[in-house]
C-alpha cells in the first residue's frame, strides 16, 4: 500500500508540471477535461470576461431587457456564459449560461476542419441550481470524418425573437463581441452517427470539404464593420475577406451527381422535349436562374431553360399572377422563394420603401394564401424553396437595424415554409445544407453569385427538378 501511494504521488507530481495537468485546471485557457461527465470544456472568448466585468459594475436592472438597444464594446449574452462543453459520444455542444438577462439566446455554431458543418437543432434546458438561475442550450453536429475541428460559436441575440413580437427595433449584439469561444477553440470528433432523419431527402445532400492539404485555420464569422463599404483599411479588410472560404468545396453525397443529371439532360434532348424552369422571387431568383443556365450550357442543351419571374412578396403570387406568369408562360417546374423583400432593406426609391419588416404571423398567412391559390389553379410542378441566409452586412448590424435578413429571422421564415408545405402537401426544396455552413460567404453580404455556393445549389436544384423518366 505504501509503495502504491508513493507511486501515485510521483505520477501526480509529474502531471502537475505538464500541460496535461494545467489543461484541467478550472481557470486555465486550455481545454478542461471532466472525466466524470464525459465532457470537454471549450475555452471561452475574451469578450465573455470583458462583458462579465462590465455587467458586474452595473446595476443589473438598468440593463436593457428585452434588448431594444445594445451596449457598445460588450455583449450581454457573453456576460451570461458560464461554460461551453463538448460531449463527444453524443456529438453535442452544450452552452451553460445564466438567465438573468438572456433567458432565450440565439447562437450560431460552426465546426471547421476537414469538413465544415453547422451546429444545429439547439434545444433549451433549465437547470435546478439554488445559487443562481441557469439554462443550457444543447446543439448537435454531423461531420463525416473524425479528427480535430475548430469550434466557433457566436451569440447574435441575447433573447431570440418571439413569434408575434415586434422585431423592427431589436438589435444584434455588438459584432466585435459576438464570439463566445476562444479564437483557437477546438474539439476532437471521435464518434460518427448515421443521419437520424433519413426520411428527409435533403439531409444527405453533401458536405463542404477542404480541397487541399493546407494547414487548417479556424473558419471565423465574416462580417462588415460600420463604415467599411468603401473603406479599404485593415480594420475593414480582415473581417470582410472572403479568402477564408477558398479552401472549401462542396462534395455531394452522391459523387456522380453531375453525371446523373447529365443522363437526364440527354434523355430530354433525345426525346426533343422542352422544359422551362421558372424561379419566382426577385434578385435571388434571378441569380439562381443564371446559375442553373450556366450548368445547362455546360451540359450542352437548348431544350431546358431557366427564367426568373419577379414577385417581391408572397402575397403577390395570387390567382392573377399564377395565371399570367406561370400558366401562360408554360412553366414546367416552378420554384417559389419570396421572403427577402419581406424582411429586408427595401431600396429607397421603391414605393414599398416605408414598409416595416413583415411580422411572422403575417408572413405565415401570406404563404398559406399563396399555397391555397396555387392549389386551386391549373399550375403543375410547384415547389417552394428555403430562403437564403444573408451575411452580417453593416445595415443589419446598426442599432436599430436597417435590414433584418439575419439568420434569426430567416430561420423563422423557413420554419413557416417548411411547416406549411408539409401540412398542405406541397413539395419543399431545402438547400440549407449547402447554404448553411457558408451562410456568411455572400460577396455583397446578400447574394450568392458566380461562386461554388451558387453553382452547387444550382446543380442540386436541377437534380430535384428534372424528371427521372421521360
Amino acid at each position: 500500500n505504501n509503495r502504491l501511494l508513493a507511486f501515485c504521488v510521483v505520477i501526480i507530481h509529474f502531471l502537475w508540471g505538464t500541460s496535461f495537468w494545467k489543461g484541467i485546471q478550472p481557470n486555465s485557457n486550455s481545454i478542461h477535461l471532466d472525466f466524470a461527465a464525459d465532457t470537454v470544456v471549450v475555452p471561452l472568448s475574451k469578450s465573455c470576461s470583458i462583458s462579465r466585468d462590465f455587467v458586474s459594475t452595473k446595476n443589473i436592472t438598468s440593463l436593457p431587457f428585452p434588448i431594444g438597444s445594445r451596449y457598445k464594446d460588450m455583449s450581454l449574452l457573453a456576460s451570461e456564459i458560464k461554460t461551453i462543453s463538448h460531449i463527444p459520444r453524443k456529438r453535442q455542444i452544450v452552452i451553460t449560461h445564466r438567465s438573468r438577462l438572456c433567458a432565450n439566446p440565439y447562437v450560431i455554431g460552426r465546426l471547421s476542419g476537414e469538413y465544415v458543418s453547422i451546429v444545429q437543432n439547439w434545444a433549451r434546458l433549465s437547470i435546478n441550481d439554488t445559487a443562481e438561475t441557469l439554462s443550457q442550450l444543447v446543439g448537435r453536429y454531423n461531420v463525416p470524418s473524425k479528427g480535430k475541428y475548430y469550434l466557433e460559436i457566436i451569440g447574435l441575440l441575447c433573447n431570440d425573437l418571439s413569434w408575434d413580437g415586434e422585431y423592427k427595433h431589436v438589435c444584434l449584439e455588438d459584432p466585435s463581441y459576438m464570439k463566445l469561444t476562444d479564437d483557437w477553440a477546438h474539439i476532437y470528433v471521435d464518434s460518427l452517427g448515421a443521419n437520424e432523419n433519413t426520411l428527409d431527402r435533403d439531409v444527405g445532400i453533401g458536405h463542404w470539404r477542404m480541397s487541399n492539404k493546407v494547414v487548417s485555420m479556424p473558419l471565423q464569422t465574416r462580417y462588415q464593420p460600420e463604415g467599411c463599404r468603401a473603406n479599404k483599411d485593415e480594420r475593414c479588410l480582415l473581417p470582410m475577406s472572403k479568402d477564408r472560404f477558398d479552401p472549401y468545396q462542396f462534395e455531394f453525397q452522391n459523387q456522380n451527381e453531375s453525371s446523373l443529371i447529365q443522363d437526364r439532360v440527354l434523355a430530354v434532348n433525345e426525346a426533343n422535349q422542352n422544359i422551362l424552369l421558372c424561379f419566382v422571387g426577385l434578385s435571388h431568383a434571378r441569380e439562381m436562374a443564371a446559375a442553373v443556365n450556366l450548368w445547362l450550357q455546360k451540359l450542352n442543351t437548348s431544350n431546358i431553360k431557366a427564367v426568373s419571374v419577379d414577385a417581391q412578396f408572397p402575397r403577390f403570387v395570387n390567382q392573377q399572377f399564377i395565371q399570367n406568369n406561370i400558366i401562360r408562360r408554360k412553366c414546367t417546374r416552378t420554384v417559389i422563394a419570396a421572403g427577402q423583400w419581406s424582411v429586408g432593406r427595401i431600396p429607397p426609391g421603391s414605393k414599398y420603401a416605408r414598409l416595416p419588416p413583415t411580422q411572422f404571423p403575417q408572413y405565415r398567412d401570406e404563404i398559406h394564401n399563396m399555397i391555397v391559390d396555387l392549389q386551386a389553379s391549373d399550375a403543375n410542378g410547384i415547389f417552394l424553396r428555403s430562403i437564403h441566409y444573408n451575411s452580417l452586412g453593416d445595415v443589419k448590424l446598426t442599432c436599430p437595424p436597417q435590414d433584418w435578413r439575419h439568420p434569426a429571422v430567416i430561420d423563422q421564415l423557413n420554419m413557416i415554409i417548411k411547416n406549411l408545405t408539409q401540412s398542405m402537401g406541397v413539395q419543399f426544396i431545402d438547400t440549407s445544407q449547402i447554404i448553411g455552413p457558408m451562410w456568411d460567404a455572400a460577396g455583397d453580404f446578400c447574394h450568392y453569385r458566380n461562386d461554388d455556393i451558387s453553382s452547387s445549389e444550382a446543380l442540386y436544384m436541377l437534380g430535384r427538378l428534372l424528371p427521372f423518366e421521360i
Side-chain angles (χ1 to χ4, degrees):
N1 289 340
N2 290 336
R3 283 197 296 267
L4 178 60
L5 178 60
F7 175 77
C8 291
V9 169
V10 171
I11 293 298
I12 291 173
H13 184 268
F14 168 76
L15 291 175
W16 185 267
T18 65
S19 59
F20 173 84
W21 184 264
K22 293 176 183 177
I24 63 175
Q25 298 306 300
N27 296 324
S28 170
N29 290 326
S30 303
I31 290 179
H32 172 186
L33 304 180
D34 183 348
F35 298 106
D38 188 28
T39 63
V40 181
V41 176
V42 177
L44 302 179
S45 68
K46 293 180 180 178
S47 68
C48 292
S49 58
I50 292 172
S51 301
R52 276 198 298 269
D53 292 343
F54 179 94
V55 170
S56 66
T57 64
K58 303 289 182 179
N59 181 355
I60 202 72
T61 59
S62 70
L63 295 173
F65 179 81
I67 303 175
S69 59
R70 69 173 177 228
Y71 279 90
K72 188 173 177 60
D73 299 332
M74 63 88 68
S75 161
L76 286 176
L77 177 54
S79 74
E80 297 275 81
I81 302 300
K82 285 186 70 82
T83 61
I84 297 177
S85 306
H86 174 221
I87 306 179
R89 58 188 171 83
K90 294 184 177 181
R91 304 182 304 284
Q92 291 179 340
I93 303 297
V94 181
I95 303 173
T96 302
H97 64 94
R98 300 175 184 86
S99 299
R100 301 170 301 176
L101 299 169
C102 305
N104 185 29
Y106 181 95
V107 301
I108 299 177
R110 178 163 59 187
L111 298 180
S112 59
E114 182 180 359
Y115 293 88
V116 179
S117 181
I118 290 292
V119 182
Q120 52 194 351
N121 300 326
W122 292 99
R124 189 166 292 104
L125 303 173
S126 297
I127 301 176
N128 294 324
D129 190 302
T130 55
E132 55 185 339
T133 303
L134 298 178
S135 297
Q136 284 185 330
L137 283 176
V138 182
R140 294 180 63 86
Y141 61 81
N142 180 20
V143 290
S145 73
K146 299 179 182 180
K148 177 182 176 180
Y149 286 85
Y150 293 105
L151 171 66
E152 185 196 47
I153 298 178
I154 63 170
L156 282 189
L157 290 167
C158 175
N159 287 285
D160 199 359
L161 307 175
S162 62
W163 166 251
D164 55 357
E166 170 68 55
Y167 61 88
K168 180 179 180 180
H169 299 289
V170 176
C171 304
L172 299 181
E173 295 274 28
D174 186 323
S176 300
Y177 292 84
M178 281 183 178
K179 185 179 293 188
L180 304 178
T181 47
D182 182 77
D183 286 348
W184 295 92
H186 58 273
I187 64 173
Y188 286 94
V189 175
D190 56 18
S191 175
L192 300 178
N195 291 323
E196 296 174 2
N197 188 10
T198 55
L199 296 179
D200 189 338
R201 293 183 59 184
D202 295 308
V203 165
I205 298 176
H207 289 85
W208 289 95
R209 187 177 190 180
M210 185 175 291
S211 58
N212 51 46
K213 299 299 182 182
V214 299
V215 177
S216 65
M217 298 285 288
L219 184 55
Q220 299 180 359
T221 298
R222 174 175 169 265
Y223 70 96
Q224 184 180 41
E226 183 180 359
C228 285
R229 290 210 164 195
N231 198 331
K232 302 299 182 183
D233 63 23
E234 187 176 348
R235 179 184 73 88
C236 300
L237 291 178
L238 186 60
M240 291 174 58
S241 173
K242 286 191 63 180
D243 293 347
R244 69 198 74 196
F245 305 108
D246 289 346
Y248 296 97
Q249 292 183 348
F250 193 77
E251 188 177 84
F252 281 91
Q253 190 96 340
N254 187 340
Q255 297 183 359
N256 297 320
E257 186 78 12
S258 59
S259 298
L260 293 174
I261 293 172
Q262 186 171 22
D263 290 342
R264 290 188 225 167
V265 169
L266 288 173
V268 170
N269 292 344
E270 290 174 359
N272 198 26
Q273 182 181 10
N274 291 317
I275 293 178
L276 182 62
L277 307 177
C278 298
F279 294 92
V280 177
L282 211 63
S283 56
H284 285 248
R286 289 198 290 267
E287 297 295 344
M288 179 166 288
V292 168
N293 280 326
L294 283 176
W295 272 109
L296 295 174
Q297 292 174 16
K298 294 177 185 178
L299 296 170
N300 194 27
T301 179
S302 59
N303 293 69
I304 308 171
K305 294 181 180 179
V307 298
S308 63
V309 184
D310 288 355
Q312 288 93 330
F313 304 98
R315 61 181 178 273
F316 285 7
V317 185
N318 53 27
Q319 293 179 4
Q320 182 179 1
F321 178 95
I322 295 166
Q323 185 64 38
N324 293 339
N325 295 282
I326 297 177
I327 296 175
R328 288 183 182 172
R329 196 185 292 263
K330 298 182 179 179
C331 298
T332 311
R333 301 279 192 275
T334 301
V335 180
I336 304 172
Q340 299 288 335
W341 274 51
S342 298
V343 297
R345 183 190 191 190
I346 298 175
S350 169
K351 62 182 178 180
Y352 310 110
R354 295 185 179 274
L355 289 179
T358 304
Q359 295 300 106
F360 301 135
Q362 179 187 344
Y363 187 79
R364 177 197 57 191
D365 293 342
E366 289 188 24
I367 295 292
H368 177 273
N369 294 339
M370 179 184 72
I371 293 176
V372 169
D373 286 344
L374 286 165
Q375 292 180 327
S377 73
D378 294 328
N380 296 314
I382 301 297
F383 298 78
L384 268 64
R385 172 181 64 77
S386 53
I387 306 299
H388 288 155
Y389 284 128
N390 280 211
S391 313
L392 296 179
D394 56 357
V395 291
K396 305 177 188 74
L397 293 170
T398 58
C399 188
Q402 304 167 56
D403 190 319
W404 301 266
R405 288 175 293 179
H406 54 74
V409 171
I410 299 300
D411 277 350
Q412 291 278 7
L413 302 193
N414 283 332
M415 185 59 65
I416 290 169
I417 296 170
K418 188 171 185 177
N419 288 343
L420 284 175
T421 52
Q422 287 179 346
S423 63
M424 300 178 75
V426 178
Q427 297 187 81
F428 175 58
I429 301 179
D430 186 359
T431 63
S432 60
Q433 195 171 344
I434 298 173
I435 300 294
M438 299 287 164
W439 69 273
D440 49 339
D444 63 352
F445 296 91
C446 180
H447 301 93
Y448 302 93
R449 63 163 71 97
N450 300 324
D451 55 23
D452 196 32
I453 302 171
S454 60
S455 179
S456 300
E457 185 183 38
L459 183 61
Y460 176 68
M461 194 65 61
L462 278 172
R464 289 295 303 269
L465 298 179
L466 291 183
F468 287 88
E469 297 180 358
I470 306 300

